[in-house]
């Protein structure tokens, strides 16, 4: 495949298994002379570099989502950006701002954890004879779903918290009270979704026994899962 260099500009590129950069038109690109790679991870430096309007962003897909592994840009721009960011971060004002932001995030996280756990309990709505188990299950689901960066449905802002709580419970039960993680699901379009729907229905039926206050057998998968916590 022919390799070529394009004029300095903003580009979104991919990287093939050989480490070569692939342009929007599918051709292999040669990094311009005097450019370096800035790995993703420091948003402050990246913003300063991209603000110059001269870079190539390397993107890759994981599932349905697109991520950036970093950017290629003029070496001088990257060096200057790092120096400017370092100077700002060395000031007392910056450190105070960061400490304040961290404290605020912790407070918001704690408040959301309390709200989410309470919402899970509302969804479970177990009979009074099973209230202790309701609280234990709500805490287990919250501990799994709520951490920042967990990537679970609890972290999305796209749906109401009530729906987040419902989905989080069903997801937790799918992994903890069914054989889902060990199932061999055929690679047929829609098959995994069908299996998940079936297991979700089983979870709903299991929860209903606790809502109705029925006597729970010792071999109940939910009892077994919670006993391990």
């Amino acid at each position: 495949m022919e390799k070529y260099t394009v004029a300095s500009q903003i580009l979104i590129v991919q990287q093939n298994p050989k480490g070569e950069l692939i342009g929007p038109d599918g051709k292999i690109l040669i990094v311009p002379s005097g450019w370096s790679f800035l790995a993703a991870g420091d948003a402050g430096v990246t913003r300063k570099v991209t603000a110059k309007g001269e870079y190539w962003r390397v993107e890759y897909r994981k599932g349905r989502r697109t991520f950036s592994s970093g950017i290629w840009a003029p070496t001088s721009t990257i060096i200057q950006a790092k120096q400017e960011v370092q100077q700002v971060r060395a000031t007392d004002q910056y450190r105070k701002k960061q400490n304040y932001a961290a404290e605020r995030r912790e407070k918001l996280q704690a408040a959301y954890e309390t709200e989410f756990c309470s919402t899970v309990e509302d969804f479970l709505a177990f009979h009074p004879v099973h209230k202790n188990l309701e609280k234990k299950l709500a805490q287990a689901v919250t501990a799994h779903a709520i951490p920042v960066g967990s990537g679970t449905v609890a972290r999305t802002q796209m749906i109401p918290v009530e729906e987040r709580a419902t989905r989080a419970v069903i997801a937790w039960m799918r992994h903890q009270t069914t054989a889902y993680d060990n199932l061999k699901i055929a690679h047929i379009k829609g098959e995994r979704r069908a299996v998940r729907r079936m297991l979700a229905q089983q979870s709903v039926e299991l929860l209903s026994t606790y809502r109705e206050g029925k006597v729970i057998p010792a071999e109940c998968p939910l009892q077994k899962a919670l006993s391990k916590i």
Side-chain angles (χ1 to χ4, degrees):
M1 182 180 293
E2 180 185 359
K3 298 183 180 180
Y4 70 106
T5 302
V6 297
S8 298
Q9 57 183 302
I10 298 175
L11 281 181
I12 304 299
V13 303
Q14 278 74 43
Q15 196 168 25
N16 65 20
K18 295 181 181 180
E20 298 170 319
L21 300 180
I22 309 300
D25 58 2
K27 294 183 178 180
I28 297 176
L29 299 175
I30 298 175
V31 177
S33 176
W35 280 34
S36 298
F37 182 69
L38 175 65
D42 192 322
V45 175
T46 299
R47 280 195 297 268
K48 281 190 172 294
V49 173
T50 56
K52 299 294 184 180
E54 191 177 13
Y55 63 90
W56 296 355
R57 187 182 302 280
V58 183
E59 293 187 345
Y60 65 94
R61 290 188 64 82
K62 187 174 182 181
R64 297 180 180 179
R65 301 179 65 184
T66 299
F67 300 88
S68 171
S69 60
I71 58 176
W72 282 93
T75 304
S76 59
T77 301
I78 295 175
I79 292 174
Q80 182 181 356
K82 287 182 176 180
Q83 291 174 341
E84 291 177 355
V85 169
Q86 187 176 11
Q87 289 173 357
V88 171
R89 291 174 178 172
T91 64
D92 289 338
Q93 183 180 4
Y94 176 81
R95 284 193 288 269
K96 290 179 180 178
K97 182 179 179 181
Q98 289 300 101
N99 290 337
Y100 172 79
E103 291 174 0
R104 183 172 181 275
R105 286 194 299 269
E106 289 177 2
K107 290 179 180 179
L108 290 174
Q109 175 69 4
Y112 181 46
E113 182 174 344
T114 299
E115 177 191 17
F116 189 82
C117 190
S118 176
T119 306
V120 170
E121 290 180 10
D122 290 342
F123 165 70
L124 294 174
F126 285 179
H127 189 277
V129 300
H130 297 308
K131 280 297 177 182
N132 288 339
L133 200 71
E134 173 190 278
K135 182 169 291 293
K136 190 173 183 179
L137 176 54
Q139 291 172 342
V141 172
T142 300
H144 169 74
I146 211 69
V148 176
S150 63
T152 67
V153 69
R155 300 308 313 179
T156 182
Q157 299 294 322
M158 302 299 291
I159 57 178
V161 66
E162 292 80 9
E163 186 175 347
R164 285 177 242 162
T166 300
R167 292 190 185 185
V169 170
I170 297 303
W172 187 92
M173 293 186 67
R174 179 171 63 247
H175 292 288
Q176 300 296 329
T177 67
T178 76
Y180 177 76
D181 291 339
N182 297 316
L183 288 178
K184 293 184 178 180
I185 301 175
H187 294 289
I188 302 174
K189 185 176 182 180
E191 183 67 13
R192 182 170 295 276
R193 186 176 302 172
V195 170
R196 287 161 69 107
R197 280 200 301 265
M198 177 191 68
L199 296 179
Q201 183 57 39
Q202 290 180 10
S203 296
V204 170
E205 292 172 359
L206 177 58
L207 291 175
S208 68
T209 62
Y210 288 88
R211 289 172 176 144
E212 295 167 9
K214 295 181 179 179
V215 176
I216 307 300
E219 64 272 16
C220 171
L222 180 55
Q223 294 271 14
K224 289 182 178 180
L226 290 175
S227 67
K228 298 177 183 178
I229 299 176

